[in-house]
Amino acid sequence: MNTVAKPAITLALSKGRIFDETLPLLKAAGITVLEDPEKSRKLILPTSNPDLQVVLVRASDVPTYVQYGGADLGVTGKDTLIEHGGQGLYQPLDLQIARCRVSVAVRADFDYASAVRQGARLKVATKYVSIARDFFAAKGVHVDLIKLYGSMELAPLTGLADAIVDLVSTGNTLKANHLVEVERIMDISSRLVVNQAALKLKQEPIRHLIDVFTKTVNATPK
């Protein structure tokens, strides 16, 4: 009599830096992803552990997939988590990967400090509306927020906005577009997030992954 295989644990990742920097954590758990997302067109990737599969989703969708059970756990940036709100998610661990920062940047010829001092109302383009709103409200700066989904650097160059709030890693993209970083809002790294129902139903394998990830992160030089 054939037995039905147990449902696999599903891990949601986004392509790029988060995917690449999660691989060593999986390797520490004895798991390798069997297909390269840059070469495969598949969105569900098998791993060397038959009980674990990886789903590739947009970075901004990772918390939503985990919250509603499309994935059991995922890796997502703190920035994405703040914008999502984090409802329904267990957040056991800062993985200390994909580090960067959220900053305010302006055109090199824009006097940001003077505009803030004089109480000017600033137009700010960002996809991080919650982070930007909270930051400027705490400073007492009046802003009109313009939601964009990409190419933030264009906004000040075309006159759409006075400033942008965006992720900065090396700062090279800002420099290439004649923008300067004027305020650092917060440091960002990626978190492990877990669906709360999955944690109860699939407790043993998920707890095992959390434990291995925790040991690996703690052993990594800061």
Side-chain angles (χ1 to χ4, degrees):
M1 180 177 166
N2 291 332
T3 56
V4 179
K6 284 191 214 171
I9 296 170
T10 301
L11 170 66
L13 298 175
S14 54
K15 279 187 186 181
R17 196 173 165 198
I18 285 179
F19 182 91
D20 295 342
E21 294 187 24
T22 301
L23 290 182
L25 295 171
L26 289 171
K27 190 176 179 184
I31 297 165
T32 52
V33 180
L34 298 179
E35 295 194 35
D36 183 345
E38 299 304 326
K39 294 176 183 170
S40 171
R41 298 181 71 87
K42 292 180 184 173
L43 297 176
I44 300 177
L45 304 180
T47 74
S48 57
N49 180 341
D51 289 331
L52 177 72
Q53 63 182 7
V54 169
V55 293
L56 297 174
V57 301
R58 280 181 69 111
S60 56
D61 290 337
V62 169
T64 304
Y65 266 80
V66 177
Q67 178 186 0
Y68 290 105
D72 300 306
L73 62 171
V75 178
T76 185
K78 180 183 173 184
D79 51 314
T80 305
L81 213 42
I82 291 170
E83 293 300 315
H84 169 271
Q87 301 93 339
L89 298 173
Y90 174 51
Q91 302 174 36
L93 184 61
D94 180 353
L95 297 171
Q96 301 290 322
I97 61 171
R99 294 184 192 218
C100 53
R101 58 195 180 272
V102 178
S103 293
V104 183
V106 298
R107 274 197 337 262
D109 61 356
F110 181 78
D111 192 343
Y112 172 80
S114 177
V116 168
R117 212 166 35 242
Q118 291 169 14
R121 190 175 191 92
L122 299 176
K123 289 187 294 179
V124 178
T126 187
K127 71 175 175 181
Y128 304 108
V129 173
S130 295
I131 292 171
R133 185 187 295 118
D134 291 348
F135 174 73
F136 287 112
K139 284 175 67 73
V141 176
H142 297 289
V143 294
D144 293 318
L145 294 173
I146 301 165
K147 173 102 183 196
L148 292 179
Y149 294 90
S151 302
M152 295 299 150
E153 297 81 12
L154 266 179
L157 303 179
T158 56
L160 178 67
D162 302 307
I164 61 172
V165 168
D166 202 12
L167 290 183
V168 178
S169 185
T170 63
N172 290 338
T173 305
L174 294 179
K175 283 176 195 160
N177 289 284
H178 310 291
L179 302 179
V180 291
E181 189 177 355
V182 288
E183 290 210 77
R184 186 183 191 125
I185 296 177
M186 67 175 65
D187 291 324
I188 296 295
S189 55
S190 290
R191 266 73 174 156
L192 183 67
V193 293
V194 183
N195 176 280
Q196 291 179 344
L199 186 61
K200 291 174 187 168
L201 295 170
K202 306 174 184 181
Q203 185 169 12
E204 192 177 327
I206 289 177
R207 282 281 178 202
H208 173 68
L209 266 186
I210 293 171
D211 290 346
V212 173
F213 284 3
T214 302
K215 284 176 189 164
T216 307
V217 170
N218 290 340
T220 304
K222 300 295 182 280

